[in-house]
Amino acid sequence: MTAVHLPQPTAAPPAPDPARRRPTRQVRVGDLLVGGGAPVTVQSMTTTPTADIDATLRQIAELTAAGCDIVRVAVPSQDDADALAQIAAKSRIPVIADIHFQPKYVFQAIDAGCAAVRVNPGNIMRFDDKVREIAAAASAAGIPIRIGVNAGSLDQRLLARHGAATPEALTQSALWECALFEEHGFTDLKISVKHHDPLTMIAAYRLLAARCDYPLHLGVTEAGPPPQGTIKSATAFAILLDEGIGDTIRVSLTAPPVEEVKAGIQILQSLGLRPRQLEIVSCPSCGRAQVDVYRLTARVQAAFDGFPHPLRVAVMGCVVNGPGEAREADLGVSCGNGKGQIFIRGEVVKTVPEAQIVDALLEEALSLTGPANAQGGTP
């Protein structure tokens, strides 16, 4: 008999190596470090009127529970600025004040105890004239400044020179403002150069990364609703983060801010830049499926919402390839003929009626992650 030589399994492509991260200066935002090799953080922004302190704090609490690391609040009015002290004092995560148009709110945000201030030079009249005072106040308080350049509010002088919000124009704007702060000895800076087009945004961040060592906040501005906005952001972030560029991220969605946080966390987990938590692996369904895969997956997702342990759970619509296709899952189900085969790491352990699938998965998940398995670590 002729020997059959099976191909050797192909190793999975390596995740981005944290050691390949672009070397940057490091700043402190509240109790978090940004840049300088610190973990990439996920940010979002509240949608409530900041002057409504209770509503804003409730939304910050929701974002915190979802895993948000840093939150930004808008400060377009005096009432909003007056609310900052209470919000910063009561938030469990660092609060960044987002300042447009009125430089006086920068000083009020610093006095209020905000963890950082984001300024948009293109929207603040005569901003350059205020840099010395802002640098002195921020330095005395020990907080960083994020220079947030947006394509939609680029300095008119640069627009005239470049004809559009090109990568070069965005980069030049950011570095010009950095140079003004540097003249006054202030270098606790973060930079963002956002654009709605991912390719333009990627080019701008590459230019910026080559010309400075400040930590960078990544964002595709005005990315749109899901899934469009999620896909645009994930595409840009994955390319840049794989090149070692990026220290904080925000997935800017036309959606509740909690959805931004969930998307950001998933992006970092997918790139190996954040420890894996619960992950649902599910098939797209096909003509072989003998169960409503969409409905079953939604029920499993709801049942495992908030599950506190890292676990990969697979939901497969048929028994043809289910366990094999999801062999790397910790736990899963393959469905057919009104039943579900429950498997653990590719091995079938029991068969249950379709109506009991979700309960059976939860039972096995608790068994895998319960006290008896705690010493052995995560599955």
Side-chain angles (χ1 to χ4, degrees):
M1 181 180 292
T2 303
V4 177
H5 299 283
L6 297 176
Q8 294 298 311
T10 302
D17 182 359
R20 288 179 52 221
R21 296 267 305 279
R22 163 180 165 266
T24 74
R25 306 182 191 214
Q26 191 171 75
V27 298
R28 179 176 290 276
V29 181
D31 56 359
L32 293 177
L33 295 175
V34 174
V40 179
T41 55
V42 174
Q43 296 189 25
S44 185
M45 189 170 182
T46 56
T47 58
T48 56
T50 304
D52 188 340
I53 295 172
D54 290 341
T56 301
L57 285 172
R58 281 196 300 270
Q59 193 167 76
I60 290 175
E62 293 171 0
L63 291 168
T64 303
C68 186
D69 298 308
I70 299 170
V71 65
R72 188 154 43 105
V73 299
V75 190
S77 73
Q78 185 61 56
D79 288 342
D80 298 316
D82 292 340
L84 289 175
Q86 290 190 58
I87 292 170
K90 295 181 180 179
S91 173
R92 290 173 50 203
I93 58 177
V95 173
I96 296 178
D98 190 70
I99 310 296
H100 295 258
F101 305 115
Q102 291 287 351
K104 66 179 181 179
Y105 298 150
V106 174
F107 303 104
Q108 193 163 347
I110 293 171
D111 292 340
C114 290
V117 176
R118 182 268 177 127
V119 294
N120 185 342
N123 271 349
I124 299 179
M125 294 187 63
R126 303 187 63 83
F127 175 78
D128 295 356
D129 297 340
K130 297 290 184 180
V131 168
R132 184 211 298 269
E133 296 173 59
I134 292 173
S139 180
I143 69 169
I145 299 291
R146 173 154 76 90
I147 296 173
V149 176
N150 269 14
S153 54
L154 192 63
D155 189 298
Q156 293 300 312
R157 294 167 294 183
L158 289 170
L159 275 178
R161 182 179 306 166
H162 293 273
T166 63
E168 293 78 9
L170 294 168
T171 301
Q172 186 176 347
S173 175
L175 294 179
W176 167 256
E177 303 301 338
C178 286
L180 294 179
F181 277 96
E182 290 166 353
E183 286 181 5
H184 303 292
F186 187 84
T187 56
D188 282 345
L189 300 168
K190 291 190 300 171
I191 311 175
S192 62
V193 283
K194 296 185 179 182
H195 197 284
H196 64 85
D197 175 58
L199 296 180
T200 302
M201 172 266 199
I202 290 167
Y205 276 98
R206 282 173 171 164
L207 282 175
L208 197 56
R211 298 179 186 177
C212 74
D213 64 352
Y214 289 113
L216 304 181
H217 170 73
L218 303 186
V220 177
T221 190
E222 301 155 359
Q228 170 190 295
T230 308
I231 293 169
K232 287 170 68 174
S233 298
T235 300
F237 293 175
I239 291 170
L240 289 170
L241 289 168
D242 187 58
E243 296 175 7
I245 298 171
D247 303 283
T248 73
I249 65 171
R250 180 193 175 192
V251 182
S252 298
L253 298 177
T254 310
V258 165
E259 297 306 312
E260 296 186 349
V261 174
K262 291 178 180 178
I265 290 172
Q266 284 293 323
I267 291 169
L268 294 184
Q269 287 180 2
S270 297
L271 293 170
L273 293 173
R274 181 169 286 219
R276 179 169 63 90
Q277 298 299 314
L278 178 72
E279 179 183 358
I280 304 293
V281 177
S282 57
C283 69
S285 190
C286 68
R288 292 194 305 265
Q290 297 181 355
V291 69
D292 186 337
V293 178
Y294 308 140
R295 181 172 178 272
L296 178 59
T297 301
R299 289 176 56 214
V300 171
Q301 192 171 20
F304 278 83
D305 186 40
F307 195 77
H309 303 285
L311 203 67
R312 182 177 285 124
V313 181
V315 180
M316 312 304 290
C318 73
V319 297
V320 175
N321 294 317
E325 288 180 349
R327 191 173 300 279
E328 293 184 2
D330 302 306
L331 169 68
V333 61
S334 296
C335 303
N337 298 320
K339 300 177 182 179
Q341 290 184 334
I342 307 298
F343 57 88
I344 295 176
R345 302 182 184 94
E347 299 296 327
V348 176
V349 297
K350 67 170 70 169
T351 301
V352 300
E354 186 177 309
Q356 298 177 19
I357 286 174
V358 176
D359 289 340
L361 287 173
L362 273 174
E363 180 182 348
E364 294 299 330
L366 291 171
S367 177
L368 282 171
T369 60
N373 293 287
Q375 190 171 357
T378 58

